[in-house]
Amino acid sequence: SILGSVFGFVTSDVVEKIGILREYRNSEVSEKYITIQSMIEHEVETKTTNSKKKASGARTLLRLHRALEFTARLMMDLNTADDHEKMSHITKTAYDDTLAHHHPWLIRKGVHVAVYTLPTRKHFLEKLKMDDAEKAKDLLAKVSDYQKEIFVITENIYTKEKLHDLP
């Protein structure tokens, strides 16, 4: 993996959460899970956002939503960093400002240790086959902007329905 094997657990967590959402999309109430808005509306109406039996779509998406905030921030910071800046510093800062707020101390410390295996920004971009610095900056800015746009839309839905504190 480009971000190192230490981030394998992050990838598997995202894959697991997408799998949960796919299960809802393939369930007998799949029509309620076509959009984020319809999913939230359905789960709020049926009072299943905080289900103890199965992770709700709202709860599952909230975790992915938080990860999106982190990756948007990481892409933005990668765009503005210089080539010799360490990915460990860029990643730690983005993590501390976003996802860390939702993790217990032990997880935060584990992430801080894990990021030290990451290369410099320049080496990271080379691994992504981004040799043209201007194209890389443009792509990172676009990715970050799109991620932020999706984040804001979803954030507003969760704020409106007061769902930020799902367990």
Side-chain angles (χ1 to χ4, degrees):
S1 156
I2 291 169
L3 282 178
S5 59
V6 292
F7 280 95
F9 71 92
V10 173
T11 303
S12 65
D13 191 47
V14 167
V15 168
E16 177 193 341
K17 288 184 179 17
I18 290 171
I20 292 168
L21 293 174
R22 278 198 179 120
E23 286 174 24
Y24 281 111
R25 285 284 294 129
N26 295 323
S27 72
E28 63 280 353
V29 290
S30 62
E31 76 281 355
K32 305 290 186 183
Y33 290 84
I34 292 172
T35 67
I36 293 171
Q37 292 90 333
S38 66
M39 175 186 74
I40 299 292
E41 198 174 282
H42 168 70
E43 291 188 352
V44 167
E45 282 174 12
T46 58
K47 297 181 178 18
T48 54
T49 58
N50 202 1
S51 174
K52 300 287 184 251
K53 286 192 282 184
K54 181 180 178 184
S56 68
R59 178 185 180 275
T60 302
L61 184 64
L62 180 61
R63 303 310 192 273
L64 292 170
H65 175 67
R66 291 170 179 169
L68 180 65
E69 180 183 29
F70 164 70
T71 59
R73 172 63 189 273
L74 181 61
M75 295 300 120
M76 183 182 75
D77 291 353
L78 269 170
N79 180 38
T80 58
D82 83 26
D83 273 349
H84 301 291
E85 194 159 347
K86 292 189 177 291
M87 282 294 297
S88 57
H89 174 72
I90 297 166
T91 306
K92 180 184 177 299
T93 301
Y95 173 79
D96 286 346
D97 290 347
T98 58
L99 275 177
H101 301 292
H102 309 288
H103 289 159
W105 180 88
L106 191 60
I107 299 288
R108 291 193 310 267
K109 294 305 164 197
V111 170
H112 289 167
V113 169
V115 299
Y116 280 98
T117 64
L118 299 175
T120 62
R121 176 189 180 274
K122 182 178 182 185
H123 188 235
F124 175 76
L125 293 177
E126 285 170 358
K127 281 185 162 191
L128 290 176
K129 308 289 187 229
M130 293 181 149
D131 301 327
D132 182 326
E134 281 310 305
K135 279 186 183 172
K137 285 181 78 61
D138 185 50
L139 182 61
L140 289 167
K142 282 180 182 169
V143 168
S144 178
D145 288 346
Y146 288 137
Q147 288 178 321
K148 283 188 271 187
E149 190 175 328
I150 293 165
F151 178 84
V152 168
I153 292 166
T154 307
E155 181 75 3
N156 289 338
I157 294 168
Y158 275 81
T159 299
K160 178 179 168 246
E161 297 296 341
K162 297 176 179 64
L163 294 174
H164 284 290
D165 294 328
L166 291 175

